[in-house]
Coordinates of all heavy atoms in Angstrom, one line a residue:
R49 N -3.8 0.2 8.9 CA -3.6 -0.5 10.2 C -4.8 -1.4 10.5 O -4.7 -2.5 11.0 CB -3.4 0.5 11.3 CG -2.1 1.2 11.3 CD -1.8 2.0 12.5 NE -0.6 2.8 12.4 CZ -0.5 4.1 12.1 NH1 -1.6 4.8 11.9 NH2 0.7 4.7 12.1
E50 N -6.0 -0.9 10.3 CA -7.2 -1.6 10.6 C -7.3 -2.9 9.8 O -7.9 -3.9 10.2 CB -8.5 -0.8 10.3 CG -8.7 0.4 11.3 CD -9.7 1.4 10.9 OE1 -10.3 1.2 9.8 OE2 -10.0 2.3 11.7
H51 N -6.8 -2.9 8.6 CA -6.8 -4.1 7.7 C -5.5 -4.9 7.7 O -5.4 -5.8 7.0 CB -7.1 -3.6 6.3 CG -8.5 -3.1 6.1 ND1 -8.9 -1.8 6.4 CD2 -9.6 -3.8 5.6 CE1 -10.2 -1.7 6.1 NE2 -10.7 -2.8 5.7
G52 N -4.6 -4.6 8.7 CA -3.4 -5.4 8.8 C -2.5 -5.3 7.6 O -1.8 -6.3 7.4
I53 N -2.5 -4.2 6.9 CA -1.7 -4.1 5.7 C -0.4 -3.4 6.1 O -0.4 -2.2 6.6 CB -2.4 -3.2 4.6 CG1 -3.7 -4.0 4.2 CG2 -1.5 -3.0 3.4 CD1 -4.6 -3.1 3.4
P54 N 0.8 -4.0 5.9 CA 2.1 -3.4 6.3 C 2.4 -2.2 5.4 O 2.2 -2.2 4.2 CB 3.1 -4.5 6.0 CG 2.3 -5.8 5.9 CD 1.0 -5.3 5.3
F55 N 2.9 -1.1 6.1 CA 3.3 0.1 5.3 C 4.4 0.7 6.2 O 4.6 0.4 7.4 CB 2.2 1.1 5.1 CG 1.7 1.8 6.3 CD1 2.1 3.0 6.7 CD2 0.7 1.1 7.2 CE1 1.7 3.7 7.8 CE2 0.3 1.8 8.3 CZ 0.7 3.0 8.6
F56 N 5.1 1.7 5.6 CA 6.2 2.4 6.3 C 5.8 3.8 6.6 O 5.5 4.5 5.6 CB 7.4 2.3 5.5 CG 7.9 0.9 5.2 CD1 7.5 0.2 4.0 CD2 8.6 0.2 6.2 CE1 7.9 -1.1 3.8 CE2 9.0 -1.1 6.0 CZ 8.6 -1.8 4.8
P57 N 5.8 4.2 7.8 CA 5.4 5.6 8.1 C 6.4 6.6 7.3 O 7.5 6.3 7.2 CB 5.7 5.7 9.6 CG 5.5 4.3 10.1 CD 6.0 3.4 9.0
S58 N 5.8 7.7 6.9 CA 6.5 8.5 5.9 C 6.4 10.0 6.4 O 5.4 10.4 7.0 CB 5.8 8.4 4.6 OG 6.1 9.4 3.7
D59 N 7.4 10.7 6.0 CA 7.5 12.2 6.3 C 7.1 13.0 5.0 O 7.1 14.2 5.0 CB 8.9 12.6 6.7 CG 9.2 12.1 8.1 OD1 8.3 12.0 9.0 OD2 10.4 11.7 8.3
A60 N 6.7 12.2 3.9 CA 6.4 12.9 2.7 C 5.0 12.7 2.3 O 4.2 12.2 3.1 CB 7.3 12.3 1.6
N61 N 4.6 13.1 1.1 CA 3.2 13.0 0.6 C 2.9 11.7 -0.1 O 2.2 11.6 -1.1 CB 2.9 14.2 -0.3 CG 3.7 14.1 -1.6 OD1 4.9 13.7 -1.6 ND2 3.2 14.6 -2.7
F62 N 3.5 10.6 0.4 CA 3.3 9.3 -0.2 C 3.5 8.2 0.9 O 4.2 8.5 1.9 CB 4.1 9.0 -1.4 CG 5.6 9.1 -1.2 CD1 6.3 8.1 -0.6 CD2 6.3 10.3 -1.5 CE1 7.7 8.2 -0.4 CE2 7.7 10.4 -1.3 CZ 8.4 9.4 -0.7
L63 N 3.1 7.0 0.7 CA 3.3 5.9 1.5 C 3.8 4.7 0.7 O 3.4 4.5 -0.4 CB 2.0 5.5 2.3 CG 1.5 6.4 3.4 CD1 0.1 6.0 3.8 CD2 2.5 6.5 4.5
L64 N 4.8 4.0 1.3 CA 5.2 2.8 0.7 C 4.5 1.6 1.4 O 4.6 1.4 2.6 CB 6.7 2.6 0.9 CG 7.5 1.5 0.2 CD1 7.4 1.7 -1.3 CD2 8.9 1.4 0.7
V65 N 3.7 0.9 0.6 CA 2.8 -0.1 1.1 C 3.2 -1.5 0.6 O 3.5 -1.7 -0.6 CB 1.3 0.2 0.7 CG1 0.4 -0.8 1.3 CG2 0.9 1.6 1.1
R66 N 3.2 -2.5 1.5 CA 3.6 -3.8 1.1 C 2.4 -4.6 0.7 O 1.3 -4.5 1.3 CB 4.3 -4.5 2.3 CG 4.9 -5.9 2.0 CD 5.9 -6.3 3.1 NE 7.2 -5.7 2.8 CZ 8.1 -5.4 3.7 NH1 7.9 -5.7 5.0 NH2 9.3 -4.9 3.4
S67 N 2.6 -5.5 -0.3 CA 1.5 -6.3 -0.8 C 2.0 -7.6 -1.3 O 3.2 -7.7 -1.9 CB 0.8 -5.6 -2.0 OG -0.2 -6.4 -2.6
Q68 N 1.2 -8.7 -1.2 CA 1.6 -10.0 -1.7 C 1.4 -10.1 -3.2 O 1.9 -11.0 -3.8 CB 0.8 -11.1 -1.0 CG 1.1 -11.2 0.5 CD 0.4 -12.3 1.2 OE1 -0.6 -12.8 0.6 NE2 0.8 -12.7 2.4
D69 N 0.7 -9.1 -3.8 CA 0.5 -9.2 -5.2 C 0.5 -7.7 -5.7 O -0.5 -7.1 -6.0 CB -0.9 -9.8 -5.5 CG -1.2 -9.9 -7.0 OD1 -0.3 -9.8 -7.8 OD2 -2.4 -10.2 -7.3
V70 N 1.7 -7.2 -5.8 CA 1.9 -5.8 -6.2 C 1.3 -5.6 -7.6 O 0.6 -4.6 -7.9 CB 3.3 -5.4 -6.2 CG1 3.5 -4.0 -6.8 CG2 3.8 -5.4 -4.7
G71 N 1.6 -6.5 -8.6 CA 1.1 -6.3 -9.9 C -0.4 -6.4 -10.0 O -1.0 -5.6 -10.7
G72 N -1.0 -7.3 -9.2 CA -2.4 -7.4 -9.2 C -3.2 -6.2 -8.6 O -4.2 -5.8 -9.2
I73 N -2.6 -5.7 -7.5 CA -3.3 -4.6 -6.9 C -3.2 -3.3 -7.8 O -4.1 -2.5 -7.9 CB -2.8 -4.3 -5.5 CG1 -3.8 -3.4 -4.8 CG2 -1.4 -3.7 -5.5 CD1 -3.5 -3.3 -3.3
A74 N -2.0 -3.2 -8.4 CA -1.8 -2.0 -9.3 C -2.8 -2.1 -10.5 O -3.4 -1.1 -10.9 CB -0.4 -1.9 -9.8
A75 N -2.9 -3.3 -11.0 CA -3.8 -3.5 -12.2 C -5.3 -3.3 -11.8 O -6.1 -2.7 -12.5 CB -3.7 -4.9 -12.7
Y76 N -5.6 -3.7 -10.6 CA -7.0 -3.5 -10.1 C -7.3 -2.0 -9.9 O -8.3 -1.5 -10.4 CB -7.2 -4.2 -8.8 CG -8.7 -4.2 -8.3 CD1 -9.5 -5.2 -8.7 CD2 -9.2 -3.2 -7.5 CE1 -10.9 -5.2 -8.3 CE2 -10.5 -3.2 -7.1 CZ -11.3 -4.2 -7.5 OH -12.7 -4.2 -7.1
F77 N -6.4 -1.3 -9.3 CA -6.6 0.2 -9.2 C -6.7 0.8 -10.5 O -7.5 1.7 -10.8 CB -5.4 0.8 -8.4 CG -5.6 0.7 -6.9 CD1 -4.6 0.1 -6.1 CD2 -6.7 1.2 -6.3 CE1 -4.7 0.0 -4.7 CE2 -6.8 1.1 -4.9 CZ -5.8 0.5 -4.1
K78 N -5.9 0.4 -11.5 CA -5.9 1.0 -12.8 C -7.2 0.8 -13.5 O -7.8 1.6 -14.2 CB -4.8 0.5 -13.7 CG -4.7 1.2 -15.0 CD -3.4 0.7 -15.8 CE -3.3 1.5 -17.1 NZ -2.1 1.1 -17.9
S79 N -7.8 -0.4 -13.3 CA -9.1 -0.7 -13.9 C -10.2 0.2 -13.3 O -11.3 0.3 -13.9 CB -9.4 -2.2 -13.6 OG -9.8 -2.5 -12.3

């Protein structure tokens, strides 16, 4: 919320997060 990143509130142990560059962010995290 503080960084203005859209996500969907969840009742489970995960969050679905929206990104303009899903592939790029996944690759960055993996690195």
Side-chain angles (χ1 to χ4, degrees):
R49 290 190 183 99
E50 288 169 359
H51 289 83
I53 299 167
F55 71 95
F56 299 96
S58 163
D59 294 322
N61 63 325
F62 58 81
L63 289 171
L64 189 64
V65 183
R66 184 162 280 155
S67 172
Q68 295 181 346
D69 183 15
V70 172
I73 195 169
Y76 189 87
F77 277 124
K78 186 174 182 179
S79 73

